[in-house]
């Protein structure tokens, strides 16, 4: 790897392929227990018995009471014996009007930010075409509505897409009311926005990592949270970021973060998690490795050499930010959709790379999500 390669400027993880993963060796200490022995002390037991008996006599306490004890009365949350008692006092009960974190359902509204990007295109088509029987009401937010319709409205999807033209960055960026109107009534939101790691033409118009990955993502999350506190409709939010956000002091991510792209993505993640806690909806943070396979939207090495990745859409998934390698766009898009639809995916952040195995079934995805819960 040489930093002089001009192609490195187009993708924050464009050259990651086989960087050796670190392993963690856990030293488990063995606990030894000493065998304890009990010795009988008849003299002490006799003396104690006499003391309790005499204390009971001179204190007007029945001997049976002296040798017994009574548990304190504890009112459990489900007891309604006292006036005004209610199960709402139970500390783990859902607060009144709280939005469930359940999966999206047929006929639900789903909003996709960044639908003209590689992952965004595939997520939109999976929700509209591959799952046409669920009749999701899709709203895609794009800077150019005409380009979005050209890419997304094929013969299968027809006119089911609601395309909203909004700019998230720059001097003409959308106001809060416009963003809130686009998200109004949504039960699922996908945020798949981004730019290049280093200055390129894609930075024009203010589309820098700080502007799109941090500020725009944070604003979407905060507005969605404030809306949900009143309407309680949003249940799932999925944010697509990148591996390396937690390893910016390690190579190769140290170099990739020279212009702050990974820091900006991490700030966006934090904003989504905070908004989910306040708005009572589930969040999912998906961190793919270097994206390979079509559709090709970046001038990176994977695009130049048309790298397709593995023959299948099998994936390796791990909690946190621990993986390195390539990730097929189609496999990553399926992970995003599973975060919306799968019951087991609640408040998770994970990294994902492709492997040569078969694609996971819905049941296998549920098992993967279940193991990652902390």
């Amino acid at each position: 790897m040489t930093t002089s390669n001009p192609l490195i400027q187009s993708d924050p993880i464009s050259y990651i392929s086989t960087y050796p993963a670190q392993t963690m060796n856990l030293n488990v200490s063995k606990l030894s227990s000493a065998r304890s022995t009990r010795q009988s002390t008849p003299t002490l037991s006799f003396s104690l018995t006499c003391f309790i008996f005499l204390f009971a006599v001179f204190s007007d306490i029945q001997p049976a009471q002296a040798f017994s004890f009574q548990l304190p009365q504890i009112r459990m949350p489900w007891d309604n014996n006292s006036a005004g008692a209610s199960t709402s006092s139970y500390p783990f009960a859902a607060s009144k009007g709280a939005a469930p974190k359940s999966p999206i359902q047929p006929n639900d509204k789903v909003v996709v930010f960044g639908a003209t990007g590689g992952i965004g295109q595939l997520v939109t088509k999976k929700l509209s075409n591959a799952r046409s029987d669920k009749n999701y009401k899709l709203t895609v937010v794009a800077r150019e509505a005409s380009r979005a319709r050209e890419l997304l409205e094929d013969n299968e999807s027809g006119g089911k897409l609601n395309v909203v033209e909004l700019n998230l960055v720059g001097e003409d960026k959308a106001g809060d009311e416009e963003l809130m109107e686009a998200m109004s009534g949504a039960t699922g939101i996908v945020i798949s926005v981004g730019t290049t790691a280093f200055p390129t033409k894609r930075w024009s118009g203010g589309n820098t990592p700080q502007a799109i990955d941090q500020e725009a993502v944070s604003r979407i999350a905060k507005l969605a949270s404030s809306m949900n506190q009143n309407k309680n409709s949003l249940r799932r939010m999925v944010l697509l970021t990148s591996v390396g956000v937690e390893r910016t002091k390690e190579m190769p991510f140290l170099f990739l973060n020279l212009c702050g792209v990974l820091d900006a993505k991490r700030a966006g993640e934090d904003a989504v998690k905070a908004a989910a806690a306040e708005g009572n909806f589930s969040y999912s943070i998906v961190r793919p490795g270097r994206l390979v396979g079509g559709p090709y939207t970046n001038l990176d090495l994977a695009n130049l050499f048309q790298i397709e990745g593995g023959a299948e859409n099998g994936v390796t998934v791990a909690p946190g930010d621990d993986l390195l390698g390539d990730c097929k766009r189609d496999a990553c898009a399926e992970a995003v959709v599973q975060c919306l639809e799968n019951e087991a995916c609640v408040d998770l952040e994970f990294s994902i790379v492709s492997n040569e195995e078969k694609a996971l079934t819905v049941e296998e995805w549920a098992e993967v999500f279940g193991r990652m819960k902390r």
Side-chain angles (χ1 to χ4, degrees), residues 338-359:
Q338 288 295 328
C339 291
L340 292 172
E341 294 183 334
N342 204 299
E343 182 78 31
C345 186
V346 178
D347 297 338
L348 292 177
E349 48 191 294
F350 58 90
S351 47
I352 176 173
V353 296
S354 291
N355 59 39
E356 296 292 339
E357 300 176 4
K358 293 183 179 180

Side-chain angles (χ1 to χ4, degrees), residues 178-214:
E178 293 177 283
L179 283 174
M180 293 171 68
E181 182 179 355
M183 294 187 290
S184 178
T187 58
I189 294 177
V190 176
I191 308 176
S192 180
V193 297
T195 186
T196 54
F198 301 96
T200 63
K201 291 182 178 180
R202 292 188 63 182
W203 282 33
S204 62
N207 191 39
T208 64
Q210 288 71 28
I212 188 67
D213 290 310
Q214 179 176 343

Side-chain angles (χ1 to χ4, degrees), residues 141-253:
V141 179
R143 283 174 291 184
E144 299 179 15
S146 59
R147 181 169 180 266
R149 292 190 179 96
E150 180 183 354
L151 291 172
L152 301 171
E153 288 187 347
D154 53 26
N155 294 331
E156 296 182 60
S157 62
K160 292 189 297 183
L161 295 179
N162 175 33
V163 181
V164 178
E165 185 172 284
L166 291 178
N167 198 351
L168 298 176
V169 298
E171 297 179 356
D172 60 339
K173 64 183 178 183
D176 291 352
E177 293 185 359
E178 293 177 283
L179 283 174
M180 293 171 68
E181 182 179 355
M183 294 187 290
S184 178
T187 58
I189 294 177
V190 176
I191 308 176
S192 180
V193 297
T195 186
T196 54
F198 301 96
T200 63
K201 291 182 178 180
R202 292 188 63 182
W203 282 33
S204 62
N207 191 39
T208 64
Q210 288 71 28
I212 188 67
D213 290 310
Q214 179 176 343
E215 296 172 10
V217 170
S218 298
R219 190 155 72 104
I220 292 170
K222 291 177 181 178
L223 290 174
S225 176
S226 64
M227 293 171 60
N228 212 49
Q229 293 176 23
N230 298 323
K231 297 184 179 180
N232 293 323
S233 63
L234 181 61
R235 298 197 295 269
R236 297 278 173 106
M237 177 177 286
V238 186
L239 173 64
L240 187 74
T241 62
S242 168
V243 295
V245 292
E246 295 181 349
R247 293 175 283 176
T248 55
K249 296 186 182 302
E250 304 174 15
M251 288 297 292
F253 307 111

Side-chain angles (χ1 to χ4, degrees), residues 114-141:
T116 58
I119 303 297
Q121 290 183 46
L122 294 170
V123 168
T124 302
K125 291 183 178 181
K126 284 177 178 291
L127 291 173
S128 61
N129 299 343
R131 291 163 171 82
S132 58
D133 58 319
K134 298 187 178 181
N135 196 33
Y136 293 131
K137 298 177 175 62
L138 291 177
T139 293
V140 298
V141 179

